[in-house]
Amino acid sequence: MTPSHPRSPGLAPPHGRRRPAPLPTLVLVGHGSRDPRALATVTALAERVREQRPGLAVRLGHIELNEPLLTDTLAAQRGGEAVLVPLLLSRGQHVKRDIPAAADAAPHLHTRVAAPLGPHPLLAEALHTRLVQAGWPARPLSASERRRHAVVLAAAGSRDPDSAADTATAAALLADRLGVPVVPAYAAPTEACTRTVSTALAALAAEGRTRTAVAAYFTAPGRFATQSTAAAPWLAAAPLGADPALARLVLHRYDQARAAAPATAGPRRLTAA
């Protein structure tokens, strides 16, 4: 009888089987903030993503203000593939230019850049959850209540018209879910995003909306989120944070990017939403 010998660690599995290729690293790309709560929030979101997809390598990198910076996170990965998922809620300069540029500066990696998180129905789910936590009725509103209730969806603002279009779509998704008007408004208005939070609140009050809430359309706490919610005449919801729906959306964008096109080591193209 021929003695068996243990297989050397470096040899391929028997019968021609190959080990499955490792999954691309998921790199969460946060904006960064001077508010210390922001880093704690995106770190908690990263942990939530790991819980939902055990075994997937999840890293964090920031565009500015917080460490690790995205460029450092990518430089620290020695090779292989990575999918960059922006923790941003609409298209704009960071999504279209800054994140792809950081990926291009890491030629040792094969990368894909996913679409921003919004707009998407899972964001409407997370926004609804935050509103209920702040005091919005959990039950469906009556007809008379719907005439008095409304929401201002407070976002950061951008010079890019695509950002305004994405935020308007997000507002429409939330309005469909709640059954009341949801008006997009901006903490830092621009020529593309002109309506301020205070202007939106005043217009709704003039229509007889006596129960208007402010929904913080921000991934994490920061100056703009604090400024927006401080203007609320009734109740104000917290930013999206580490909501389970947000973690599911991160993984959805990751899977979309993986399925859309092979990873490249050349100029990157944003994966379509």
Side-chain angles (χ1 to χ4, degrees):
M1 185 172 180
T2 305
S4 60
H5 297 281
R7 184 163 43 90
S8 299
L11 297 180
H15 311 302
R17 290 177 298 175
R18 294 183 178 179
R19 294 187 182 91
L23 291 172
T25 299
L26 192 166
V27 179
L28 295 170
V29 185
H31 182 279
S33 171
R34 292 184 177 86
D35 189 322
R37 296 172 298 170
L39 179 57
T41 298
V42 294
T43 301
L45 177 59
E47 187 56 39
R48 178 88 66 175
V49 171
R50 292 186 187 101
E51 292 170 357
Q52 292 192 10
R53 188 73 60 88
L56 176 63
V58 179
R59 304 287 183 265
L60 178 62
H62 295 89
I63 296 169
E64 59 182 358
L65 298 176
N66 287 128
E67 293 182 350
L69 293 173
L70 175 58
T71 50
D72 294 337
T73 296
L74 297 179
Q77 186 165 333
R78 295 184 177 180
E81 297 184 28
V83 175
L84 281 58
V85 179
L87 296 180
L88 302 170
L89 304 176
S90 62
R91 292 168 290 174
Q93 179 174 323
H94 291 318
V95 169
K96 294 180 179 180
R97 299 179 187 176
D98 296 341
I99 297 174
D104 287 340
H108 62 292
L109 290 176
H110 293 277
T111 61
R112 301 173 179 90
V113 179
L117 297 183
H120 194 276
L122 282 171
L123 287 177
E125 178 183 331
L127 288 164
H128 189 183
T129 297
R130 290 289 184 254
L131 284 166
V132 170
Q133 289 170 346
W136 185 272
R139 54 171 176 77
L141 300 178
S142 67
S144 61
E145 287 174 322
R146 287 197 300 272
R147 288 192 290 271
R148 292 185 288 115
H149 283 69
V151 173
V152 170
L153 185 66
S158 169
R159 296 185 182 89
D160 192 322
D162 287 338
S163 177
D166 288 346
T167 305
T169 299
L173 289 169
L174 184 58
D176 288 344
R177 187 178 180 94
L178 298 178
V180 301
V182 177
V183 178
Y186 304 95
T190 67
E191 61 276 13
C193 302
T194 57
R195 187 188 294 113
T196 66
V197 173
S198 58
T199 298
L201 289 168
L204 289 166
E207 295 175 6
R209 303 283 174 175
T210 58
R211 287 290 182 268
T212 298
V214 174
Y217 198 47
F218 300 91
T219 306
R223 178 168 62 92
F224 287 153
T226 301
Q227 171 186 318
S228 299
T229 57
W234 177 39
L235 60 84
L240 294 160
D243 189 272
L246 200 65
R248 297 202 307 272
L249 180 53
V250 165
L251 289 167
H252 174 64
R253 291 301 192 213
Y254 170 85
D255 292 336
Q256 274 187 322
R258 286 188 62 211
T264 63
R268 278 66 178 182
R269 199 183 325 176
L270 183 69
T271 299

